[in-house]
Amino acid sequence: MRNGEKMQTAGKWWMRAASVALLGALGCQGGNTSGGSPAGSAAPAGSAAPAAAASAAASASAAGSAQAAPAEVSTISLTSEEVLKVMNPRRRPAYSGPTGTLRGRVTIKGDPPPDTGLSFPTGKCGEAAATYGRLFRVGQQNAVADALVTVVNYSGHVPEQEEAEKVTIHGCAFSTRTVAMTFGQRLEVANLDPLEPYMPNLEGAPFMAVLVAVPQGEAVKFHPPQPGYYLLVDKMPKPFLKAEVFVLKFATHDVTGLDGQFEIKNIPVGKVLTAALLPAIEQDVKKEIEIKEGENTLDFELNFDLKKYNEKKSAKPSQ
C-alpha cells in the first residue's frame, strides 16, 4: 500500500513536470539576453518531496496545534547573492527606458470542466467545492481562473518590485490554484478563517518545521530555494487543498482570477513573447506582440476537448 502511494505521488509530480516543460518551451529567459536555462526547464524542485511530505505528516501528528520553531532562517531574498547570480548574473542596472503595461483576459471554449470526484467536509469548508470540485475554474463569459500569463524575450533587466507573493486560505480553499512568483520572493500564506487552523507546506522545498497558520494570525512564510515547480498543500490533512507554485526567473507574470483578467507592468517596449498556461490541463497559448509605451491589450483563448484530454492522460507512463 505504501509503495502504491509513493508511485501515485511520483506520478503526480511527473504530470506537473510536463507543465513546467511547457513553460520552458516559451523561452522564459526574462530580460537575460545572454541566454541561460529557461525558467521552466528544471525538473520539479526537490525530488525528495514525498519524503518531506511523510516527515511533515509525522511531525504534524506529534505537534498537534503547536508551531515548531524553524530550524534556520532562510537567506533567500531578492537581494541575496544566490538570487542575483540567477536573476541578474551580469549585474546590469534595472531597465530605465520606456515601458508598457499589458492587460487582457484569458477565456476557454469547448467542453465544460469535468467533476474531480473529490469529497469535501460540510459546514466549515464552504469554498472548497467551488474551488476544487472541477478540473479547472470557469467564471462568467468563459473566463478561466488560475491561468499563468508570462511575458519574456525583451531586452533589459526588470527587477521584481514586491518582496512577497501572498496567498490566503478561507473556507478550506486557497485564494488561487496557481501561484506565480519571482525567484527571491518569499511566499506568505495567511489564514482568514475565524476558527479553523491549517498546516501549509511547500512540497519541493527543504522541509524545516511544521508551521501552523492560526486563525486570522500571522502569515506562514516560505522561501523557495531555486526556480522551478512546487506544490502548496495542507498537512492537517485536507488532501484537496492544493495550489501549484511556479517560481520563475523573471518578474513579468500574473495569474488570472475568476474574471479571467491579468495585468503585467514594467515591460520594456519592443517585440516580446507572451503566453497563457492553464496547469490543470497542461495547455498553453503563445503569441508575439509589440509592446508600446503605455497601455497594451491582448486576450488569450484556450480550448478544452475532454475526449482528447482523457486520451492524453491515459497515454502517460505510470512510472
Side-chain angles (χ1 to χ4, degrees):
M1 183 69 174
R2 191 170 298 274
N3 287 336
E5 291 174 354
K6 288 181 179 179
M7 290 181 64
Q8 185 179 25
T9 301
K12 290 178 181 178
W13 281 89
W14 185 92
M15 289 175 64
R16 288 316 179 222
S19 293
V20 179
L22 279 175
L23 199 62
L26 307 182
C28 295
Q29 299 165 1
N32 184 2
T33 54
S34 64
S37 301
S41 62
S47 59
S55 176
S59 298
S61 176
S65 61
Q67 179 169 339
E72 183 180 348
V73 177
S74 174
T75 59
I76 295 291
S77 71
L78 292 173
T79 57
S80 65
E81 183 64 23
E82 182 178 354
V83 171
L84 292 175
K85 285 180 180 178
V86 174
M87 301 298 293
N88 189 17
R90 291 192 288 176
R91 300 298 194 272
R92 291 177 297 171
Y95 177 82
S96 59
T99 64
T101 295
L102 182 64
R103 293 186 176 92
R105 191 165 174 263
V106 182
T107 58
I108 193 164
K109 65 179 182 178
D111 297 321
D115 194 300
T116 58
L118 298 171
S119 58
F120 310 98
T122 57
K124 62 183 181 180
C125 291
E127 297 181 28
T131 304
Y132 306 107
R134 298 280 178 177
L135 180 61
F136 53 89
R137 296 193 294 166
V138 180
Q140 295 183 351
Q141 298 179 328
N142 299 320
V144 64
D146 312 304
L148 169 60
V149 182
T150 58
V151 177
V152 297
N153 288 5
Y154 45 79
S155 178
H157 170 59
V158 179
E160 175 61 57
Q161 300 298 312
E162 302 294 333
E163 293 185 356
E165 180 66 27
K166 298 180 180 181
V167 175
T168 59
I169 316 174
H170 185 261
C172 303
F174 289 121
S175 52
T176 178
R177 287 174 51 172
T178 302
V179 180
M181 301 175 58
T182 304
F183 181 44
Q185 284 186 303
R186 65 179 179 272
L187 176 62
E188 296 186 356
V189 183
N191 178 9
L192 302 183
D193 281 354
L195 298 174
E196 185 73 7
Y198 300 91
M199 286 186 180
N201 185 57
L202 190 63
E203 293 189 349
F207 178 72
M208 301 298 292
V210 177
L211 304 174
V212 177
V214 298
Q216 299 182 353
E218 186 177 346
V220 172
K221 300 177 178 64
F222 299 97
H223 297 80
Q226 62 186 38
Y229 170 80
Y230 301 80
L231 192 63
L232 182 63
V233 300
D234 177 55
K235 310 303 292 186
M236 284 303 280
K238 297 177 183 67
F240 54 84
L241 186 53
K242 296 179 181 178
E244 301 185 69
V245 180
F246 295 86
V247 181
L248 306 174
K249 289 184 179 180
F250 52 95
T252 46
H253 50 72
D254 196 14
V255 173
T256 60
L258 277 172
D259 58 4
Q261 295 183 6
F262 65 89
E263 179 184 77
I264 303 174
K265 299 180 179 180
N266 302 319
I267 307 169
V269 297
K271 185 177 291 186
V272 299
L273 180 63
T274 68
L277 167 70
L278 185 57
I281 60 175
E282 298 172 11
Q283 183 182 131
D284 73 317
V285 175
K286 297 181 284 289
K287 293 183 179 181
E288 283 192 342
I289 183 176
E290 185 84 16
I291 294 293
K292 298 180 180 180
E293 189 170 6
E295 300 295 322
N296 299 263
T297 302
L298 181 67
D299 294 331
F300 296 90
E301 184 178 67
L302 300 168
N303 181 51
F304 179 64
D305 186 314
L306 180 58
K307 181 179 179 181
K308 289 183 179 180
Y309 172 80
N310 287 333
E311 289 174 350
K312 179 180 177 182
K313 185 177 178 181
S314 62
K316 286 183 177 180
S318 58
Q319 65 272 18

